[in-house]
């Protein structure tokens, strides 16, 4: 390491440009340097076998639960490697078997070409080698799986034994008498370790000098204070500026930024400083465990402190994500700092205890003190939460009383339901820890307290990430954001569809957050690698039967295929409707029929494509459809009838878009023909939705199918003394003078009958569309009445004669 550092010092003295060139060359050459030849199956099997033997050797000497967890993960990884090797070799074996089957067996009693015999022997040798490798890989996978299971059982038994171990209670004087008796011996064990650390540091400084440690210390201090504070201030200024996104993302985004800055910079500051000491060999080998413990403790403590800072925000209530008042936020912030300090101190003390190998009595006393400290911290938090709950209850009751008195209440007080859950869980843990401590089960009490605080931290972090993911997705896929506007302009999606995509993306990411939180909560109770592996095994699919397996990957692929196919179908329909069909000589109804049928054909093809992408065999689908055909025929009879009727309407086109039809006592214009129903707009501009089967099975009058012209018929009666020739000419002149009346066919006036002292006229006129009949006929009636009035011609009506017989007087 010293030679490497001196080499880099020499490079840096030559100039920054050469250093940058060297760094770039190293980055470009890293993939090449890291790339080795692919190992052969024998080499992979040998590596797996060596890994399993190493696990078996270390398992007997393992005395810590963490060591067993690492060995279990190594065995599980060896099993996964063996299964992957088996899966990768199986296609090669199938290919060799196929080639041998094509060559056929060696002929009996006859000679064959030497080339064929040599090829058969070569293929047979390769097949036997692959078969042996596959068999060995399967055996190694089974062995590794059994080994991992045995280690997990041993780990569970050891944890159970450790939690159930009964020792002297930390509240008993006998324990502290033993500690006082053993303390000089443990101090004597610590002193050599401290001397080793001091001697290693002094020797490294004499050999390498102070430059590297001071540089590491300076970098750590810069990361810890100026850089961290500047980044925090930068995030707050950006969140308060106009450049920040509108809505809730300001708060949750700032909280995530503060969490990352507050966790990574202190943690990596310690990592940089320890790395500078390791660079010159200033840390003794026995103190490496302590150094690693300090790094882990710093990251954990920084995470707890940063999480509490971004969630509680005692000095900025408007940015607070939790439903807390200022008093509770300030107190909980202090307790969070205490929890961070306690986590750091307990982790470092445990690392020192393991490095010095102190006596069991001192270890028990240390665990008892840590358990009691955690217990006191939890009790203080529960008291604060209880007071907060009482304040919220009192405020809610005051609001209700004010509303009952008729006073105006600005905003109702929100009472956090999570407070009740936190208090119940905390009280149960405190009671269990107190009883366990009094009975001497210190490890169990310590475990309960640590899991309660750790679980609370995981839940709070998941809640923060939950809020951030939701706010980010709804902001990203929103019509007001730049990304949303770009998507709308490039794809033509509607605003509602874009917002739906944001909600779905948020739901998927929040589900992932929940799974990660559950894994974090379950990590202390088992091997997290095994848990992840069991969840990941779902990717292999759920077997329905021997021919049908539902795989999440294929389902996602099928859904994507369906979405893409529907999008392409809509684009095709839009191209037909807007670009191609208007250039043809087809009318509007024919164009609508073609585009509609093309859309439904596209949807059917896309559905079949999506089912195939999901891995469903169309033969099995046909069998399923045939099995359900009877039930579909009875249950969906009306829907199928309307569907078939819609196809007939689109194909035969007895009615089309734009036709004016009369169905029963309703009449109107056809606006849309769907595959199930037809929309007719009646005279009052309302829409009449008619099932397609009604248009096929019942009598319907199409006013515009054969001829688009409309006919007006006017009948009236006049006395026999009327000048019928002059009246006829006046009517023809009135008809011809109207702008809507067509000249061809020409208007006509006929005498329909002469009877009862009156002449009945029947006249006809034609207009361009049946939709003009009503208004034009009204105008012609006005003209007729004016003509009759000017000529003093009365309209005759039938005579109504009643015979009344007088009653003779008595």
């Amino acid at each position: 390491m010293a030679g490497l550092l001196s080499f880099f010092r020499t490079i840096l003295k030559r100039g920054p440009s050469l250093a940058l060139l060297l760094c770039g060359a190293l980055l470009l050459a890293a993939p090449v340097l890291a790339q080795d030849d692919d190992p052969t199956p024998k080499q992979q099997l040998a590596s797996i076998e060596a890994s399993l033997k190493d696990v078996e050797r270390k398992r007997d000497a393992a005395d810590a639960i963490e060591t067993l967890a690492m060995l279990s993960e190594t065995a599980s990884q060896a099993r996964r490697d063996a299964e992957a090797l088996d899966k990768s070799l199986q296609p090669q074996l199938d290919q060799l078997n196929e080639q041998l089957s094509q060559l056929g067996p060696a002929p009996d009693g006859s000679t064959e070409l030497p080339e064929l015999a040599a090829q058969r022997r070569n293929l047979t040798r390769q097949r036997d080698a692959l078969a042996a490798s596959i068999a060995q890989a399967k055996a190694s996978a089974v062995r590794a799986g059994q080994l991992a299971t045995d280690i997990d059982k041993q780990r569970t038994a050891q944890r159970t034994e450790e939690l159930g171990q009964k020792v002297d209670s930390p509240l008993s004087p006998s324990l502290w008498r033993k500690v006082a008796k053993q303390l000089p011996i443990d101090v004597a064990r610590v002193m050599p370790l401290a001397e080793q650390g001091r001697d290693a540091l002094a020797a490294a400084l004499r050999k390498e000098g102070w430059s590297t440690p001071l540089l590491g210390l300076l970098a750590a201090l810069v990361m810890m204070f100026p850089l961290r504070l500047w980044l925090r201030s930068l995030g707050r200024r950006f969140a308060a500026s106009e450049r920040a996104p509108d809505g809730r993302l300001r708060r949750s985004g700032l909280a995530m930024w503060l969490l990352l800055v507050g966790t990574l910079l202190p943690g990596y500051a310690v990592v940089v400083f320890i790395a500078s000491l390791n660079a010159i060999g200033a840390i003794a080998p026995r103190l490496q465990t302590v150094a690693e413990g300090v790094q882990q403790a710093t990251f954990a403590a920084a995470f707890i402190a940063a999480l509490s800072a971004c969630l509680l925000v005692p000095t900025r209530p408007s940015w607070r994500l939790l439903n807390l008042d200022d008093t509770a936020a300030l107190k909980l912030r202090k307790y969070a700092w205490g929890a961070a300090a306690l986590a750091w101190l307990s982790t470092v003390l445990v690392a020192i205890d393991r490095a010095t190998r102190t006596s069991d009595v001192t270890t028990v006393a240390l665990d008892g003190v840590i358990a009691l400290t955690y217990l006191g911290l939890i009790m203080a938090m529960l008291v604060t939460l209880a007071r907060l709950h009482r304040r919220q209850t009192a405020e809610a009751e005051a609001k209700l009383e004010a509303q009952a008195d008729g006073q105006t209440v600005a905003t109702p007080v929100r009472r956090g339901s999570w407070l009740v859950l936190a208090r119940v869980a905390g009280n149960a843990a405190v009671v269990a820890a107190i009883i366990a401590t009094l009975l001497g089960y210190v490890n169990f009490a310590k475990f309960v307290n640590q899991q309660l605080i750790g679980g609370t931290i995981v839940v709070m972090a998941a809640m923060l990430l939950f809020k951030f993911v939701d706010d980010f997705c709804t902001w990203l896929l929103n019509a007001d954001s730049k990304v949303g506007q770009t998507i709308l302009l490039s794809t033509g999606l509607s605003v509602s569809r874009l917002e739906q995509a944001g909600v779905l993306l948020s739901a998927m990411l929040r589900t992932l957050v929940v799974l990660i939180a559950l894994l974090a909560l379950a990590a202390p109770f088992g091997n997290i690698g095994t848990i992840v592996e069991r969840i990941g095994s779902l990717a292999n699919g759920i077997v329905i039967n021997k021919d049908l397996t539902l795989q999440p990957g294929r389902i996602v692929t099928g859904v994507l295929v369906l979405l893409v196919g529907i999008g392409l179908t809509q684009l095709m329909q839009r191209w037909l409707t807007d670009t191609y069909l208007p250039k043809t000589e087809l009318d509007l109804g024919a164009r609508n029929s073609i585009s509609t049928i093309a859309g439904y054909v596209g949807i059917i093809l896309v559905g079949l494509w999506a089912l195939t992408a999901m891995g469903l065999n169309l033969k099995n689908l046909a069998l399923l459809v045939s099995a359900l055909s009877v039930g579909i025929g009875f249950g969906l009879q009306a829907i199928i009838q309307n569907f078939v009727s819609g196809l007939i309407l689109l194909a035969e086109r007895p009615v089309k878009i734009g036709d004016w039809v009369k169905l029963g006592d309703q009449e109107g214009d056809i606006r849309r023909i769907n595959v199930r129903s037809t929309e007719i707009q009646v005279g009052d501009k309302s829409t009449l939705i008619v099932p397609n089967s009604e248009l096929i099975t019942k009598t319907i009058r199409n006013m515009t199918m054969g001829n688009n012209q409309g006919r007006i018929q006017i009948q009236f009666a006049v006395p026999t003394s009327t000048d019928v020739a002059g009246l006829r000419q006046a009517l023809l002149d009135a008809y011809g003078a109207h702008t809507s009346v067509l000249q061809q066919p020409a208007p006509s006036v006929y005498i329909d009958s002469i009877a009862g002292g009156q002449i009945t006229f029947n006249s006809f006129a034609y207009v361009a569309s049946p939709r003009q009949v009503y208004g034009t006929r009204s105008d012609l009636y006005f003209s007729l009445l004016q003509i009759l009035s000017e000529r003093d011609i009365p309209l005759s009506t039938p005579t109504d004669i009643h015979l009344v017989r007088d009653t003779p007087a008595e």
Side-chain angles (χ1 to χ4, degrees), residues 275-496:
S276 66
L277 294 179
N278 281 323
I280 63 174
I283 301 178
R286 288 187 60 185
L287 289 177
Q288 291 292 335
T289 304
V290 179
E292 294 176 359
V294 170
Q295 295 179 16
Q296 297 174 2
T298 304
F299 273 108
F303 181 78
I304 296 173
L307 181 64
S308 63
C310 64
L311 287 178
L312 299 176
V313 196
T315 59
R316 293 178 176 86
S318 60
W319 295 88
R320 190 174 301 149
L321 296 178
L322 297 179
N323 183 22
L324 300 171
D325 54 21
D326 295 341
T327 303
L330 185 59
K331 290 186 177 181
L332 290 177
R333 179 80 172 104
K334 296 179 180 179
Y335 296 146
W337 276 103
L342 181 59
W344 189 91
L345 184 61
S346 61
T347 304
V348 174
L349 288 178
V350 169
I352 295 175
D353 181 67
R354 290 179 180 177
T356 56
R357 300 182 181 90
T358 56
S359 61
D360 295 337
V361 175
T362 304
T363 303
V364 169
L366 178 62
D367 292 340
V369 171
I370 293 175
L372 290 176
T373 309
Y374 274 122
L375 186 60
L377 185 63
I378 294 173
M379 292 177 64
M381 292 181 179
L382 290 177
V383 170
T384 302
L385 292 178
R387 292 176 179 175
L388 173 63
H389 185 68
R390 285 196 295 268
R391 286 197 300 270
Q392 290 185 347
T393 303
E395 292 179 6
E397 292 177 353
K399 296 291 184 181
L400 292 177
E401 293 177 358
Q403 290 179 355
D405 296 338
Q407 301 178 7
T408 303
V409 180
T411 54
V413 178
R414 294 183 305 165
R415 298 173 61 185
S417 58
W418 64 274
L419 291 177
V420 180
L421 297 177
R423 290 179 60 194
V424 171
N427 290 326
V430 166
V431 171
I434 291 176
I435 295 175
T437 304
L438 292 177
L439 295 178
Y441 296 100
V442 177
N443 291 331
F444 178 78
K446 178 183 175 183
F447 179 78
V448 169
N449 293 330
Q450 288 179 344
Q451 297 313 310
L452 180 61
I453 293 180
T456 303
I457 294 171
V458 170
V459 171
M460 292 294 103
M463 185 187 69
L464 172 59
L465 193 57
F466 208 77
K467 290 179 178 293
F468 172 74
V469 164
D470 185 33
D471 297 341
F472 178 76
C473 292
T474 53
W475 167 81
L476 183 67
L477 298 179
N478 189 280
D480 297 331
S481 65
K482 294 182 179 179
V483 177
Q485 292 176 0
T486 303
I487 294 175
L488 291 177
L489 293 176
S490 59
T491 61
L493 291 176
S494 61
V495 176
S496 60

Side-chain angles (χ1 to χ4, degrees), residues 166-217:
K166 185 176 181 181
V167 296
D168 293 335
S169 173
L171 301 178
S172 62
S174 59
L175 174 64
W176 297 107
R177 284 195 295 269
K178 295 179 181 179
V179 170
K181 182 179 179 181
Q182 191 68 27
L183 186 60
I185 301 175
D186 292 334
V187 171
R189 293 178 178 177
V190 173
M191 293 305 298
L193 186 64
E195 292 176 357
Q196 290 181 11
R198 183 188 59 194
D199 295 340
L201 178 61
L205 292 177
R206 285 194 303 268
K207 182 178 179 182
E208 300 291 342
W210 288 86
S211 59
T212 302
L214 290 179
L215 183 62
L217 179 61

Side-chain angles (χ1 to χ4, degrees), residues 215-242:
L215 183 62
L217 179 61
L218 179 61
L221 292 176
V222 170
M223 294 172 63
M224 188 69 181
F225 295 106
L227 182 60
R228 181 175 63 90
L229 296 178
W230 178 75
L231 290 176
R232 286 168 57 90
S233 177
L234 180 65
R236 290 193 179 98
R237 289 198 305 269
F238 178 79
S241 65
E242 297 180 354

